[in-house]
Amino acid sequence: MMTEQLKNYTITPEQASCPHYVKALQQEIECGKDFSETELKVLRINHPEILKYKAKVLGNKDTYENFADWVDFLIADYGYQERCLSLGSGIGRVEKYLVSKGFTHQMETIELCANENEKIRLKDEKINTVKGDLNFVELPPDYYDFILCHGVLHHLINLEYVLDQINKSLKPNGIFLVYEYIGETRWQFNESRLNYLRKNFPDISIKQQPVWRYRGFESVRSGDLFGILQQQFGKSCKHSVCYGGVYFPFVTTTPPKADAQMARVITLDADVTRTGELSPCYHMGIYRKNDVPAIPAKKWSDEMLKSQLSPPIPYWNQLVRLLRESPLGSSLIKIKRQLNRYF
Ligand SMILES: C[S@@+](CC[C@H](N)C(=O)[O-])C[C@H]1O[C@@H](n2cnc3c(N)ncnc32)[C@H](O)[C@@H]1O
């Protein structure tokens, strides 16, 4: 039996009991329990122009009716799957769609917020959700026909370990569908990306948010993700799409009113995707189980863990954060999020 210390972890379970990790887990949960379907719809990242573009790029569709209907090609090409698992399923938008289309008759999901998001989760008796921290997940070997990671790997630290678990847990010929943010870690966009935005949108303020703004595990190793994914699964890749090098930094560095420019943003995104002028921020891939051994993880020291999860915050901003986290502050933020959609 392999001891915990010898497993291919970036951080060990002992390190995960430190206050920085525990705080980040709590922040993830706080965030996850707030994002109902209605709240998600008003996020800038779900702007109709972006969803239309996504439907085209990922699903070769001219329009979309459902957030998740770009997966129709998967259902058509790969057909019914018996044993399905989704990791970090949130409220289950993609899972519910897959089940409703007869892709499977049952789906297991593992989600950090399983208890806390119970009320807002999209219900389906064919979907069974359990709570778990995926950084230390143990999956049964040779068990699943299909595993889905939709926007969760970029929240994980033990990437090498989790991807190996996924690979081992697939049945021979099992399918792994990934849809992930693969841009700069903690959204710290590189200068060429920011300069591209400044050049193309000279009248819009482009403001990179400092690293301490990002809470929980948001994009904690996203800059490493695509490389590790290719090392573990590249050999068995069946389908791969990369895009999003412009629209994602645009919606995260500009004020909401800049969304008036979204049609142009999407045109530029398609341009740079074609020319390769900027690296992509999103990846969708379909992979099969393979015989590639686990990619060795580089261990994080306790100092590294602290600096990644709790970077120093200027005093003034600490005060602002305290106010934002008060009950009144949280309510005002929710109202502001709704208003941002219209102004
Ligand atoms: C960006 S959301 C994506 C949710 C969902 N897949 C979707 O696309 O709507 C990331 C999800 O991963 C979950 N998550 C983050 N870290 C996790 C962890 N260590 N273990 C399990 N789930 C985690 C969060 O609770 C959240 O639901």
Side-chain angles (χ1 to χ4, degrees):
M1 193 76 174
M2 196 183 273
T3 69
E4 294 288 301
Q5 286 299 340
L6 289 177
K7 283 188 182 164
N8 191 34
Y9 291 141
T10 304
I11 58 160
T12 62
E14 291 70 43
Q15 286 177 296
S17 62
C18 79
H20 309 288
Y21 190 89
V22 173
K23 187 184 79 190
L25 270 185
Q26 201 46 47
Q27 289 173 344
E28 279 289 323
I29 292 171
E30 283 300 313
C31 181
K33 79 175 177 14
D34 277 349
F35 279 99
S36 64
E37 196 173 30
T38 317
E39 292 278 340
L40 286 166
K41 271 190 186 143
V42 298
L43 290 183
R44 293 179 69 197
I45 197 70
N46 290 324
H47 187 285
E49 290 281 349
I50 296 179
L51 294 187
K52 192 168 154 215
Y53 177 52
K54 213 172 126 183
K56 185 75 194 164
V57 173
L58 302 183
N60 200 22
K61 284 168 164 281
D62 289 328
T63 184
Y64 69 97
E65 281 168 26
N66 182 297
F67 168 81
D69 62 10
W70 60 267
V71 300
D72 284 350
F73 79 94
L74 175 89
I75 305 170
D77 292 356
Y78 292 84
Y80 176 82
Q81 302 296 318
E82 182 73 23
R83 285 191 190 151
C84 297
L85 171 71
S86 171
L87 302 178
S89 45
I91 60 164
R93 295 178 292 176
V94 183
E95 297 73 6
K96 185 159 168 115
Y97 186 80
L98 285 169
V99 165
S100 74
K101 292 288 162 181
F103 180 69
T104 185
H105 75 285
Q106 64 85 39
M107 172 97 64
E108 291 170 40
T109 85
I110 305 175
E111 164 56 54
L112 187 63
C113 300
N115 300 342
E116 294 79 3
N117 76 3
E118 172 91 57
K119 281 205 192 101
I120 56 170
R121 218 157 54 223
L122 306 177
K123 302 288 181 314
D124 192 305
E125 60 187 20
K126 295 178 187 144
I127 303 176
N128 180 38
T129 301
V130 296
K131 187 177 177 78
D133 179 353
L134 294 169
N135 279 313
F136 305 101
V137 74
E138 296 204 11
L139 300 176
D142 294 316
Y143 189 80
Y144 292 106
D145 296 290
F146 173 79
I147 298 181
L148 169 66
C149 283
H150 188 277
V152 62
L153 293 172
H154 72 280
H155 283 242
L156 301 186
I157 299 177
N158 284 338
L159 282 176
E160 295 84 350
Y161 169 76
V162 175
L163 288 176
D164 179 51
Q165 283 285 311
I166 291 171
N167 193 25
K168 292 199 169 110
S169 189
L170 288 168
K171 281 192 200 158
N173 222 25
I175 308 160
F176 177 33
L177 171 62
V178 174
Y179 170 77
E180 286 294 336
Y181 169 71
I182 54 162
E184 288 88 334
T185 294
R186 295 287 195 185
W187 304 5
Q188 297 303 291
F189 302 114
N190 64 40
E191 273 309 301
S192 49
R193 224 189 268 291
L194 294 172
N195 286 337
Y196 181 91
L197 292 179
R198 289 182 191 116
K199 187 181 83 193
N200 283 284
F201 301 98
D203 300 330
I204 297 179
S205 142
I206 312 286
K207 199 166 159 219
Q208 169 94 281
Q209 298 296 331
V211 69
W212 53 262
R213 275 274 157 86
Y214 299 104
R215 322 283 306 270
F217 300 116
E218 181 56 72
S219 306
V220 65
R221 286 188 71 198
S222 57
D224 301 337
L225 175 54
F226 190 65
I228 301 169
L229 189 59
Q230 292 318 298
Q231 287 180 65
Q232 181 70 72
F233 280 100
K235 183 181 169 186
S236 57
C237 180
K238 297 292 153 202
H239 188 75
S240 174
V241 179
C242 290
Y243 68 111
V246 176
Y247 83 74
F248 185 77
F250 183 86
V251 298
T252 50
T253 60
T254 61
K257 62 177 191 285
D259 281 2
Q261 298 279 329
M262 196 57 83
R264 187 152 162 262
V265 172
I266 296 299
T267 305
L268 293 171
D269 199 286
D271 282 353
V272 304
T273 299
R274 202 180 47 252
T275 61
E277 185 179 345
L278 296 177
S279 58
C281 280
Y282 275 92
H283 167 63
M284 186 275 284
I286 298 181
Y287 302 91
R288 293 275 194 193
K289 182 184 182 86
N290 62 48
D291 58 6
V292 176
I295 309 309
K298 196 163 171 262
K299 311 273 175 238
W300 278 8
S301 64
D302 294 349
E303 291 69 38
M304 176 80 169
L305 181 62
K306 180 180 174 197
S307 70
Q308 296 300 308
L309 297 185
S310 305
I313 309 179
Y315 287 123
W316 168 248
N317 298 93
Q318 286 185 34
L319 183 65
V320 173
R321 184 168 275 190
L322 275 176
L323 291 172
R324 286 170 70 99
E325 284 171 358
S326 68
L328 175 66
S330 313
S331 308
L332 289 173
I333 289 166
K334 271 194 189 158
I335 295 170
K336 184 169 172 268
R337 240 194 254 140
Q338 297 288 343
L339 292 176
N340 277 349
R341 187 79 182 131
Y342 305 103
F343 299 101

